[in-house]
Structure formats: structure tokens, C-alpha cells
Short mmCIF file of all heavy atoms in Angstrom, two decimals:
data_model
loop_
_atom_site.label_atom_id
_atom_site.label_comp_id
_atom_site.label_asym_id
_atom_site.label_seq_id
_atom_site.Cartn_x
_atom_site.Cartn_y
_atom_site.Cartn_z
N LEU A 1 24.28 157.26 171.42
CA LEU A 1 23.76 158.26 170.49
C LEU A 1 23.13 159.39 171.29
O LEU A 1 22.37 159.14 172.22
CB LEU A 1 22.72 157.64 169.57
CG LEU A 1 23.21 156.52 168.65
CD1 LEU A 1 22.04 155.68 168.16
CD2 LEU A 1 23.98 157.11 167.47
N GLY A 2 23.45 160.60 170.91
CA GLY A 2 22.91 161.74 171.63
C GLY A 2 22.37 162.82 170.71
O GLY A 2 22.82 162.96 169.57
N TRP A 3 21.39 163.55 171.21
CA TRP A 3 20.91 164.76 170.57
C TRP A 3 21.24 165.94 171.48
O TRP A 3 20.96 165.90 172.69
CB TRP A 3 19.40 164.72 170.32
CG TRP A 3 19.00 163.92 169.13
CD1 TRP A 3 18.52 162.65 169.12
CD2 TRP A 3 19.02 164.36 167.76
NE1 TRP A 3 18.24 162.26 167.83
CE2 TRP A 3 18.54 163.28 166.98
CE3 TRP A 3 19.40 165.54 167.13
CZ2 TRP A 3 18.42 163.36 165.59
CZ3 TRP A 3 19.29 165.62 165.75
CH2 TRP A 3 18.81 164.54 165.00
N PHE A 4 21.80 166.97 170.89
CA PHE A 4 22.17 168.19 171.59
C PHE A 4 21.63 169.38 170.81
O PHE A 4 21.29 169.27 169.64
CB PHE A 4 23.69 168.30 171.73
CG PHE A 4 24.30 167.22 172.56
CD1 PHE A 4 24.53 165.96 172.04
CD2 PHE A 4 24.64 167.45 173.89
CE1 PHE A 4 25.08 164.95 172.80
CE2 PHE A 4 25.21 166.45 174.67
CZ PHE A 4 25.42 165.20 174.12
N ARG A 5 21.56 170.51 171.47
CA ARG A 5 21.11 171.72 170.78
C ARG A 5 21.90 172.92 171.27
O ARG A 5 22.41 172.94 172.38
CB ARG A 5 19.61 171.96 171.00
CG ARG A 5 19.23 172.32 172.42
CD ARG A 5 17.72 172.40 172.56
NE ARG A 5 17.32 172.79 173.90
CZ ARG A 5 16.07 172.79 174.33
NH1 ARG A 5 15.08 172.41 173.52
NH2 ARG A 5 15.79 173.16 175.58
N GLN A 6 21.96 173.92 170.41
CA GLN A 6 22.62 175.16 170.76
C GLN A 6 21.80 176.33 170.23
O GLN A 6 21.63 176.47 169.02
CB GLN A 6 24.05 175.21 170.22
CG GLN A 6 24.82 176.42 170.71
CD GLN A 6 26.32 176.28 170.50
OE1 GLN A 6 26.76 175.56 169.61
NE2 GLN A 6 27.10 176.96 171.32
N ALA A 7 21.31 177.13 171.13
CA ALA A 7 20.57 178.33 170.78
C ALA A 7 21.53 179.51 170.71
O ALA A 7 22.61 179.49 171.31
CB ALA A 7 19.48 178.60 171.82
N PRO A 8 21.14 180.57 169.99
CA PRO A 8 22.01 181.74 169.90
C PRO A 8 22.37 182.29 171.27
O PRO A 8 21.49 182.49 172.11
CB PRO A 8 21.17 182.74 169.10
CG PRO A 8 20.26 181.89 168.28
CD PRO A 8 19.93 180.72 169.17
N GLY A 9 23.64 182.52 171.48
CA GLY A 9 24.10 183.08 172.73
C GLY A 9 24.14 182.12 173.90
O GLY A 9 24.43 182.54 175.03
N LYS A 10 23.85 180.85 173.68
CA LYS A 10 23.83 179.87 174.75
C LYS A 10 24.80 178.73 174.45
O LYS A 10 25.19 178.50 173.31
CB LYS A 10 22.42 179.30 174.95
CG LYS A 10 21.39 180.33 175.35
CD LYS A 10 20.03 179.70 175.56
CE LYS A 10 20.03 178.76 176.75
NZ LYS A 10 18.68 178.19 177.01
N GLU A 11 25.17 178.02 175.50
CA GLU A 11 26.03 176.87 175.34
C GLU A 11 25.24 175.69 174.79
O GLU A 11 24.02 175.61 174.93
CB GLU A 11 26.66 176.49 176.67
CG GLU A 11 27.60 177.54 177.23
CD GLU A 11 28.24 177.11 178.52
OE1 GLU A 11 27.89 176.03 179.03
OE2 GLU A 11 29.09 177.85 179.02
N ARG A 12 25.96 174.78 174.17
CA ARG A 12 25.31 173.57 173.69
C ARG A 12 24.88 172.71 174.87
O ARG A 12 25.61 172.57 175.86
CB ARG A 12 26.27 172.80 172.78
CG ARG A 12 25.63 171.62 172.08
CD ARG A 12 26.31 171.30 170.77
NE ARG A 12 27.73 171.07 170.90
CZ ARG A 12 28.54 170.88 169.87
NH1 ARG A 12 28.07 170.91 168.63
NH2 ARG A 12 29.83 170.68 170.08
N GLU A 13 23.69 172.14 174.77
CA GLU A 13 23.14 171.34 175.86
C GLU A 13 22.52 170.07 175.33
O GLU A 13 22.01 170.02 174.21
CB GLU A 13 22.10 172.14 176.64
CG GLU A 13 20.88 172.51 175.83
CD GLU A 13 19.79 173.18 176.64
OE1 GLU A 13 19.86 173.15 177.89
OE2 GLU A 13 18.85 173.73 176.03
N ALA A 14 22.54 169.05 176.17
CA ALA A 14 21.94 167.78 175.81
C ALA A 14 20.42 167.88 175.88
O ALA A 14 19.86 168.55 176.75
CB ALA A 14 22.42 166.68 176.74
N VAL A 15 19.76 167.18 174.96
CA VAL A 15 18.31 167.05 175.03
C VAL A 15 17.87 165.60 175.16
O VAL A 15 16.73 165.35 175.57
CB VAL A 15 17.61 167.71 173.83
CG1 VAL A 15 17.84 169.23 173.86
CG2 VAL A 15 18.10 167.14 172.50
N SER A 16 18.73 164.66 174.82
CA SER A 16 18.40 163.25 174.97
C SER A 16 19.58 162.41 174.54
O SER A 16 20.46 162.88 173.82
CB SER A 16 17.17 162.86 174.13
OG SER A 16 17.42 163.06 172.75
N CYS A 17 19.59 161.17 174.97
CA CYS A 17 20.60 160.24 174.48
C CYS A 17 20.15 158.81 174.70
O CYS A 17 19.25 158.53 175.49
CB CYS A 17 21.97 160.49 175.13
SG CYS A 17 22.06 160.16 176.91
N ILE A 18 20.81 157.92 173.98
CA ILE A 18 20.68 156.48 174.16
C ILE A 18 22.05 155.97 174.56
O ILE A 18 23.02 156.14 173.82
CB ILE A 18 20.21 155.79 172.87
CG1 ILE A 18 18.84 156.31 172.43
CG2 ILE A 18 20.17 154.28 173.07
CD1 ILE A 18 18.38 155.80 171.08
N SER A 19 22.14 155.36 175.71
CA SER A 19 23.43 154.92 176.21
C SER A 19 23.91 153.66 175.49
O SER A 19 23.11 152.85 175.01
CB SER A 19 23.37 154.67 177.72
OG SER A 19 22.28 153.82 178.06
N ALA A 20 25.23 153.52 175.40
CA ALA A 20 25.81 152.31 174.84
C ALA A 20 25.53 151.13 175.76
O ALA A 20 25.31 151.27 176.96
CB ALA A 20 27.32 152.49 174.66
N GLY A 21 25.56 149.96 175.18
CA GLY A 21 25.39 148.74 175.96
C GLY A 21 23.94 148.38 176.16
O GLY A 21 23.40 147.52 175.46
N ASP A 22 23.30 149.04 177.10
CA ASP A 22 21.92 148.70 177.43
C ASP A 22 20.90 149.37 176.53
O ASP A 22 19.74 148.93 176.48
CB ASP A 22 21.61 148.99 178.90
CG ASP A 22 21.83 150.43 179.30
OD1 ASP A 22 22.03 151.29 178.41
OD2 ASP A 22 21.82 150.70 180.52
N GLY A 23 21.30 150.44 175.85
CA GLY A 23 20.38 151.14 174.97
C GLY A 23 19.28 151.90 175.67
O GLY A 23 18.27 152.23 175.05
N ASP A 24 19.47 152.22 176.94
CA ASP A 24 18.47 153.00 177.68
C ASP A 24 18.47 154.45 177.22
O ASP A 24 19.48 154.99 176.78
CB ASP A 24 18.75 152.95 179.18
CG ASP A 24 18.41 151.62 179.80
OD1 ASP A 24 17.78 150.78 179.13
OD2 ASP A 24 18.78 151.41 180.97
N THR A 25 17.32 155.07 177.35
CA THR A 25 17.18 156.48 176.99
C THR A 25 17.33 157.36 178.21
O THR A 25 17.00 156.96 179.33
CB THR A 25 15.83 156.75 176.32
OG1 THR A 25 14.77 156.40 177.22
CG2 THR A 25 15.70 155.94 175.04
N HIS A 26 17.81 158.58 177.98
CA HIS A 26 18.06 159.54 179.05
C HIS A 26 17.66 160.92 178.57
O HIS A 26 17.84 161.27 177.41
CB HIS A 26 19.53 159.53 179.46
CG HIS A 26 20.02 158.18 179.86
ND1 HIS A 26 19.97 157.72 181.16
CD2 HIS A 26 20.56 157.17 179.13
CE1 HIS A 26 20.45 156.49 181.22
NE2 HIS A 26 20.82 156.12 179.99
N TYR A 27 17.12 161.72 179.50
CA TYR A 27 16.65 163.06 179.17
C TYR A 27 16.96 164.02 180.30
O TYR A 27 16.87 163.67 181.47
CB TYR A 27 15.13 163.06 178.96
CG TYR A 27 14.64 162.12 177.91
CD1 TYR A 27 14.30 160.81 178.22
CD2 TYR A 27 14.52 162.53 176.58
CE1 TYR A 27 13.85 159.93 177.25
CE2 TYR A 27 14.07 161.66 175.61
CZ TYR A 27 13.73 160.37 175.94
OH TYR A 27 13.29 159.50 174.97
N PRO A 28 17.28 165.26 179.94
CA PRO A 28 17.36 166.30 180.98
C PRO A 28 15.97 166.81 181.32
O PRO A 28 15.01 166.58 180.56
CB PRO A 28 18.19 167.39 180.29
CG PRO A 28 17.80 167.27 178.85
CD PRO A 28 17.59 165.78 178.61
N TRP A 29 15.86 167.50 182.43
CA TRP A 29 14.55 167.98 182.88
C TRP A 29 13.91 168.94 181.90
O TRP A 29 12.68 169.05 181.85
CB TRP A 29 14.68 168.64 184.25
CG TRP A 29 15.40 169.96 184.22
CD1 TRP A 29 16.74 170.17 184.40
CD2 TRP A 29 14.83 171.24 183.99
NE1 TRP A 29 17.03 171.49 184.31
CE2 TRP A 29 15.88 172.18 184.06
CE3 TRP A 29 13.54 171.69 183.75
CZ2 TRP A 29 15.67 173.55 183.86
CZ3 TRP A 29 13.33 173.06 183.56
CH2 TRP A 29 14.38 173.96 183.62
N THR A 30 14.72 169.64 181.11
CA THR A 30 14.20 170.66 180.21
C THR A 30 13.26 170.11 179.15
O THR A 30 12.38 170.84 178.67
CB THR A 30 15.34 171.41 179.52
OG1 THR A 30 16.27 170.46 178.98
CG2 THR A 30 16.06 172.31 180.50
N VAL A 31 13.42 168.87 178.77
CA VAL A 31 12.61 168.32 177.68
C VAL A 31 11.88 167.04 178.07
O VAL A 31 11.04 166.54 177.30
CB VAL A 31 13.44 168.05 176.42
CG1 VAL A 31 14.17 169.31 175.98
CG2 VAL A 31 14.43 166.91 176.63
N LYS A 32 12.16 166.50 179.23
CA LYS A 32 11.55 165.24 179.63
C LYS A 32 10.03 165.36 179.60
O LYS A 32 9.44 166.29 180.15
CB LYS A 32 12.02 164.84 181.03
CG LYS A 32 11.71 163.41 181.40
CD LYS A 32 12.34 163.05 182.73
CE LYS A 32 12.08 161.61 183.11
NZ LYS A 32 12.74 160.66 182.18
#
């Protein structure tokens, strides 16, 4: 499961996710 965002004039980017299998969470530096 992932959350992504897209601001006007910018590409869509990841903000967080939960990986399959282990269910661990992951974040990019922008929102960590």
C-alpha cells in the first residue's frame, strides 16, 4: 500500500508505503 502526491506543475512522488509480505513502512526524506 502506498501514498503518493502530486502538486501543480510537479511529478507525482511517493510519501509513504507499506511493503507486501513483511508490512514494513517506508518513507522518503521529504516527509520522514
Side-chain angles (χ1 to χ4, degrees):
L1 297 160
W3 281 100
F4 297 79
R5 68 186 182 188
Q6 187 164 25
K10 298 181 66 177
E11 296 182 356
R12 188 152 56 186
E13 63 174 348
V15 295
S16 62
C17 66
I18 299 173
S19 51
D22 58 12
D24 287 349
T25 60
H26 304 270
Y27 303 90
W29 70 268
T30 49
V31 305
K32 194 174 181 66

